[in-house]
Amino acid sequence: MNTQTNLEEFVDTEEFLRKALCALTSKDIEILLAQIPIVPEQDYTYNTENPQIGWNEGKFHWVPVGRDRGNAGRIKLANNPINPIAERLINGMEALIELNRQRELKKDSGSPPPKNPREAVKKYFGIPQLDRIPSACDQDKKAFMKNARELARKLRIRLVLDKASGEFTITIEDEGIGQTPENVHKTLLSLGSTTKGDKSYLIGVFGQGGASAYAACQYSWVLSKRAEDLQGESKGGVGWTIIKHIFPKGRRDDYFAYLAAHPDGRVPFFSDKVSEKVGIRHGTRFAHIHYDFGRGGAQIVRRLFPALNHVLFNPIIPYELYAGRDSADLMNGNAYRLSNLSVRGPEPVLDKIFEKQDMSGR
């Protein structure tokens, strides 16, 4: 019978957690990893049928994301580095909706679910479809935008450039429902499985798109804490782990793995007491370190704003973007921006003017 490897046996967990939250470069991650006992990747091969085989008690091990040694093909699917970031933001939007839905069920277990994501946002947050806000009357528009700004503060994306190393890091933080430490590997680190199949008010199903971010960076880390009033039978605490790309010696089947504390896939955790001292709120944080945007260099800082507004053309929930600075841009998508232009006056909205076309078929 294996026991879960506990961080408290090796480090001052409060200090370690504070440093983990500030880990934004490859060097930062490697310093963290050097502080805890980890079985070398070549000394442990995950066995799906019996993961206990070769497990070294009292140490951490690298376990395949999704507990699937053949995960590289699915994780490398994205052909544009912006798409996985957008998927992470969508996951954050779902977490905010799910938090409110579960609290609603706690008050009234018979409450019917919203029929779709936009209905859920209108019901729980008082916000209509974002591109319809500019055409609302002044009084409604003011109320909608106030609600939108308050909600956007609960979903944040940051782009950080470390000038010394030249590394870009992307972090996505939400103040949604979060996950218990026992479930992080079953949800946030799963591939191709779902807990959303019967939830019409959520967007995705299999939660796989965001995992493609692992292929675009050198390291990732994830941290999650369940909302205190929705922990159920869990002991609480914060689940945390690091994800990296592994290339087995003498083999061609590379894969992506995360740091596990138990053969069943559970991740390292911090107690509620420690997380409260550090000031961890409920929700989930992902960091993708040394993120490869392809060409662009420092111009990426300027390009992220239009790129995300394009990919998330009409998001169900607004969010904040911190791109290389301390102040945030409110991100509503290009549909909102175009709609907002159209109500400002008679000036042309498009950058090209097209002549009227004869539609008579003559």
Side-chain angles (χ1 to χ4, degrees):
M1 186 72 178
N2 297 96
T3 58
Q4 186 169 2
T5 306
N6 197 328
L7 283 169
E8 290 181 348
E9 299 177 13
F10 312 104
V11 295
D12 178 324
T13 49
E14 181 183 340
E15 180 183 356
F16 190 90
L17 178 54
R18 291 185 188 279
K19 290 182 178 179
L21 290 171
C22 297
L24 297 176
T25 66
S26 302
K27 184 178 180 180
D28 292 339
I29 292 295
E30 288 157 6
I31 290 173
L32 288 174
L33 293 175
Q35 297 180 51
I36 54 179
I38 303 172
V39 172
E41 56 205 48
Q42 67 270 16
D43 292 348
Y44 175 72
T45 301
Y46 182 79
N47 185 310
T48 306
E49 300 298 325
N50 190 356
Q52 287 95 343
I53 295 176
W55 187 270
N56 194 328
E57 194 77 12
K59 294 187 177 183
F60 299 97
H61 297 63
W62 295 107
V63 167
V65 172
R67 286 168 287 171
D68 175 12
R69 179 69 181 263
N71 60 28
R74 282 184 286 172
I75 288 176
K76 295 178 182 178
L77 283 175
N79 58 7
N80 186 316
I82 296 296
N83 293 343
I85 298 171
E87 291 285 350
R88 287 279 184 237
L89 287 165
I90 290 171
N91 295 153
M93 296 172 195
E94 292 180 311
L96 291 166
I97 293 172
E98 185 68 357
L99 174 64
N100 284 268
R101 173 58 181 163
Q102 293 305 314
R103 285 176 170 169
E104 179 181 54
L105 287 173
K106 193 172 182 179
K107 292 179 181 178
D108 178 7
S109 60
S111 177
K115 295 178 182 178
N116 54 62
R118 293 203 184 278
E119 183 178 302
V121 172
K122 187 173 182 179
K123 178 179 183 180
Y124 298 136
F125 308 116
I127 300 174
Q129 190 167 308
L130 294 180
D131 64 341
R132 295 178 182 174
I133 292 178
S135 59
C137 68
D138 289 344
Q139 184 176 355
D140 286 347
K141 185 191 300 185
K142 186 176 181 180
F144 291 153
M145 287 309 300
K146 179 182 178 182
N147 292 342
R149 290 190 185 95
E150 290 177 355
L151 182 56
R153 295 189 184 102
K154 298 180 180 181
L155 179 59
R156 304 173 293 277
I157 175 171
R158 300 178 190 272
L159 174 64
V160 180
L161 171 60
D162 181 71
K163 293 182 179 179
S165 63
E167 295 180 358
F168 282 107
T169 289
I170 285 282
T171 67
I172 302 96
E173 313 166 47
D174 70 68
E175 294 180 20
I177 191 168
Q179 295 295 334
T180 63
E182 303 92 335
N183 282 332
V184 168
H185 68 293
K186 299 176 184 178
T187 53
L188 301 175
L189 296 171
S190 67
L191 285 176
S193 61
T194 184
T195 58
K196 307 176 186 178
D198 60 346
K199 299 177 179 179
S200 59
Y201 54 88
L202 297 181
I203 306 168
V205 178
F206 295 108
Q208 188 168 307
S212 293
Y214 302 142
C217 63
Q218 186 169 351
Y219 292 106
S220 299
W221 59 257
V222 59
L223 179 145
S224 193
K225 180 179 182 179
R226 189 76 165 184
E228 289 81 358
D229 56 328
L230 297 171
Q231 290 181 358
E233 298 179 359
S234 171
K235 297 178 181 178
V238 175
W240 165 87
T241 193
I242 289 172
I243 304 98
K244 72 171 185 175
H245 198 173
I246 290 181
F247 300 87
K249 293 182 180 180
R251 298 180 63 91
R252 296 185 298 161
D253 53 343
D254 58 305
Y255 63 99
F256 294 85
Y258 69 94
L259 202 62
H262 192 277
D264 66 8
R266 277 176 282 172
V267 302
F269 72 96
F270 300 90
S271 68
D272 270 331
K273 183 179 179 180
V274 169
S275 69
E276 288 169 6
K277 285 183 178 180
V278 178
I280 303 295
R281 293 176 57 84
H282 60 78
T284 299
R285 304 184 192 188
F286 271 98
H288 299 293
I289 296 167
H290 199 175
Y291 202 85
D292 184 5
F293 286 96
R295 296 181 179 180
Q299 294 182 12
I300 297 300
V301 175
R302 296 192 299 273
R303 291 179 181 176
L304 194 57
F305 177 89
L308 285 173
N309 271 318
H310 172 72
V311 174
L312 294 176
F313 184 76
N314 198 14
I316 61 167
I317 286 178
Y319 55 97
E320 289 187 337
L321 168 64
Y322 295 81
R325 53 195 176 94
D326 295 331
S327 58
D329 289 305
L330 178 63
M331 302 291 282
N332 292 316
N334 278 344
Y336 169 87
R337 299 176 72 211
L338 290 170
S339 179
N340 199 33
L341 283 172
S342 69
V343 298
R344 288 185 178 178
E347 299 86 1
V349 174
L350 300 177
D351 58 356
K352 293 182 179 180
I353 303 299
F354 299 89
E355 296 180 2
K356 292 182 178 180
Q357 301 296 309
D358 183 1
M359 304 299 289
S360 64
R362 296 176 182 174

